[in-house]
Each structure stands twice: as C-alpha cells, then as structure tokens.
Amino acid sequence: MDAVTHRLVAARAGVPLGATTYYFATLDDLTAAALRYAADLSAQELGVWETALRDGTDVPTTLAELTGAYLVDRPRALTEMQLYLAAAYRPELRPAARIWADGLTDILGAHAAPEAARAAVTYLDGVLLHALTRDEPPSTPSLAATLAVILAS
C-alpha cells in the first residue's frame, strides 16, 4: 500500500493520470475506493462459498478447500489483506472491511452455532495472515480437522 501512487494506478489501469486524480483527489480516497471494490468482490465470492458449503457433504473440508483455493491468487489475497488492515487505521473503512467476515459468519451459522461460526471465521483470518507471511498455504487436512473441532464446539 505504501507504493501506491496516482501515477502507478493510472499506468496499470491504462488511463491518463488526470483520470485518477479527477476521481480520487487523495491517495486516501483511492484506498477507500479500492477497499470498497474488494468488498464488492468479497460479497460476490461469498455467494460462491455459500453454494459450495450448502451443496458439500463435509463443511469443514469444503471450507478448507475454499480457503486453499483463495490463497492460490496470492496477489489478490495480499491486496485484500492490506486493504483489510487499512480499516484498522481508518474507521470509515471498517464497514466495507467487515463484509467478508460478517458474511461468512452468517453463512456458517447455517452449519454451526453462532459462536462457533464466529470462532471459525476468526481462525480463518489468522490462517490467511499466517499463510501470507510464511509463503505457504495450510494443508487442507489439517485445516479441515481444526475447523471441524471449532464448528462442533
């Protein structure tokens, strides 16, 4: 996030620099828009996860597989994590940052007690951060085993 500039965003988007500065007067505005966009993508992805969890026969394993598949796109996962953390410093970004966790908690509520669903999402947040800082995804069997315990509690 520290490397983001209007010039870089304009170059990557293939638009004139004036286009980014016109729509996003400050880098904070640009960051906020990026977080909202990531939140929109997360909301769409939640629909895919909800269907997979509903149609699957083993919720912990399905959830572990979905998490592993998410981590395959490391640049996206890193960007979303950085945007997620930006909300820790900027309260106005927090509603957008909560979409994923709150949405997944609601989805898991159909398969587990509310407290267990929240605990599983909290655990997955840590798993994602751990995987991104260690450059290695968690194994599906170990992730599924831990999720089974959490969701059954």
Side-chain angles (χ1 to χ4, degrees):
M1 293 299 294
D2 293 339
V4 172
T5 65
H6 280 96
R7 188 171 310 283
L8 176 65
V9 171
R12 293 254 176 105
V15 298
L17 176 60
T20 63
T21 57
Y22 177 79
Y23 290 103
F24 309 105
T26 68
L27 287 177
D28 283 345
D29 294 339
L30 189 59
T31 302
L35 179 58
R36 285 190 295 276
Y37 179 72
D40 289 344
L41 291 177
S42 291
Q44 292 171 15
E45 187 76 13
L46 280 170
V48 172
W49 285 43
E50 182 174 26
T51 300
L53 290 165
R54 183 185 60 236
D55 295 347
T57 58
D58 180 352
V59 170
T61 298
T62 301
L63 191 54
E65 290 169 347
L66 289 165
T67 301
Y70 171 78
L71 286 166
V72 167
D73 187 353
R74 184 176 170 77
R76 176 185 172 192
L78 279 169
T79 300
E80 289 177 357
M81 186 62 70
Q82 288 174 334
L83 294 170
Y84 188 65
L85 291 172
Y89 298 98
R90 298 185 51 201
E92 71 275 14
L93 300 178
R94 292 178 185 161
R98 290 184 185 129
I99 287 173
W100 178 260
D102 291 348
L104 186 54
T105 300
D106 290 345
I107 291 167
L108 291 176
H111 306 280
E115 300 81 16
R118 174 63 64 196
V121 171
T122 301
Y123 169 68
L124 287 175
D125 278 346
V127 165
L128 294 174
L129 185 58
H130 186 84
L132 292 170
T133 58
R134 293 190 173 268
D135 297 322
E136 62 185 58
S139 77
T140 298
S142 68
L143 189 53
T146 303
L147 286 166
V149 171
I150 293 170
L151 291 171
S153 63

